[in-house]
Amino acid sequence: MQQYEIVIVLTPLLSVDVAAEAIAKYSKLLTDNGAEIIQEDNWGLRKLAYPIQKKTTGYYHLTEFKAPGDLINKLEVELRRDERVLRFLTIALDKHAIAYNDKKRSGAFNKKPKTEEAAH
């Protein structure tokens, strides 16, 4: 099984509950088809880099998961059919990205180096 990361941008016209329901639908689709969700991160309402369908903001949600390759096509077809989804991007992670995400989750980047702690 390959490890993936997907960012989904939902339309800002949705309420927070409806946006959470939409994300739950895709998380359930993943788990029902044999994927293992490693981490989910809701970024909330953010400004878009450029307008999409005359909208300047969107609900962002990041999901990191392990899944068989044939599931990605099924997931992306469902995302394309959903009018609540403005954009999505699925990325297959290589060993370096997986190591980086593991360090980020463990909080290794938030720790100060020992030389800075000794100076203070």
Side-chain angles (χ1 to χ4, degrees):
M1 286 207 308
Q2 174 73 34
Q3 195 157 327
Y4 297 94
E5 194 172 76
I6 186 166
V7 177
I8 301 172
V9 182
L10 299 172
T11 181
L13 303 176
L14 304 175
S15 69
V16 175
D17 296 335
V18 175
E21 178 187 313
I23 295 300
K25 172 187 170 185
Y26 295 113
S27 296
K28 183 175 180 348
L29 183 118
L30 287 170
T31 54
D32 287 351
N33 288 290
E36 172 194 344
I37 294 179
I38 297 170
Q39 180 188 10
E40 288 189 292
D41 193 9
N42 185 9
W43 295 350
L45 193 63
R46 296 272 177 108
K47 189 172 184 331
L48 300 173
Y50 54 90
I52 302 172
Q53 298 173 3
K54 298 183 181 178
K55 294 170 182 66
T56 58
T57 59
Y59 287 106
Y60 281 73
H61 189 84
L62 171 100
T63 304
E64 186 179 343
F65 60 96
K66 286 183 183 177
D70 59 338
L71 176 58
I72 301 304
N73 191 32
K74 186 175 184 179
L75 173 66
E76 289 185 352
V77 166
E78 288 296 320
L79 287 165
R80 283 188 192 97
R81 287 181 180 163
D82 194 341
E83 62 188 29
R84 300 174 293 188
V85 177
L86 291 178
R87 291 281 191 278
F88 63 89
L89 179 65
T90 309
I91 300 169
L93 300 176
D94 63 0
K95 65 180 182 179
H96 303 293
I98 293 169
Y100 176 83
N101 285 349
D102 289 340
K103 284 183 183 178
K104 187 170 68 172
R105 272 195 304 279
S106 69
F109 297 125
N110 297 332
K111 296 177 184 169
K112 291 182 179 178
K114 293 191 184 255
T115 55
E116 284 185 26
E117 290 176 2
H120 290 108

